[in-house]
Amino acid sequence: MVEDEVYERTAELFATLASPRRLALVERLAQAPAAVGELAEDLGVPQPLVSQHLRVLRQARLVRGRRDGRTVTYEVVDEHVAHVVADALEHEREHDARPQEHDPDGG
């Protein structure tokens, strides 16, 4: 069934995004394109680690790189995904800012 294929591809998308570093990269690249060195500096992680995560995001066709001489600048390809990531991060940030409710059942 066609819907099953949509669910499968959507699950693959979420699996690709199921990494804090990749979420941070998508969030950062949604703001503005950047080179690997700039991304590594912004996120405070080594360049090889950034490159590995960018490779995963490229393979999923969520980001693309544009070469200019020796520099490759990355950008978000799919604005829908950028919005999903932004909404999910905002949800968690709002959740963290709310006072914790007491659960009388202890759960």
Side-chain angles (χ1 to χ4, degrees):
M1 174 173 231
V2 173
E3 274 305 297
D4 289 341
E5 292 173 18
V6 171
Y7 291 134
E8 183 66 33
R9 289 192 314 267
T10 303
E12 290 172 10
L13 168 66
F14 281 113
T16 298
L17 293 172
S19 159
R21 298 278 188 241
R22 288 195 284 275
L23 289 171
L25 284 167
V26 170
E27 180 182 43
R28 169 58 186 80
L29 290 172
Q31 297 169 8
V36 175
E38 186 178 357
L39 293 167
E41 185 176 320
D42 289 351
L43 301 179
V45 296
Q47 282 189 4
L49 184 58
V50 170
S51 294
Q52 289 173 3
H53 285 297
L54 286 170
R55 184 177 65 246
V56 173
L57 293 170
R58 269 194 337 266
Q59 289 171 343
R61 290 175 280 193
L62 301 179
V63 302
R64 71 174 156 233
R66 295 181 188 250
R67 182 170 292 282
D68 182 19
R70 293 183 57 182
T71 303
V72 179
T73 301
Y74 290 89
E75 62 186 352
V76 171
V77 173
D78 191 330
E79 291 300 318
H80 290 100
V81 171
H83 288 290
V84 167
V85 169
D87 287 346
L89 292 170
E90 184 61 26
H91 169 78
E92 286 304 313
R93 289 174 178 136
E94 286 176 4
H95 179 69
D96 285 346
R98 280 181 270 179
Q100 296 296 317
E101 295 179 15
H102 176 69
D103 183 355
D105 295 327

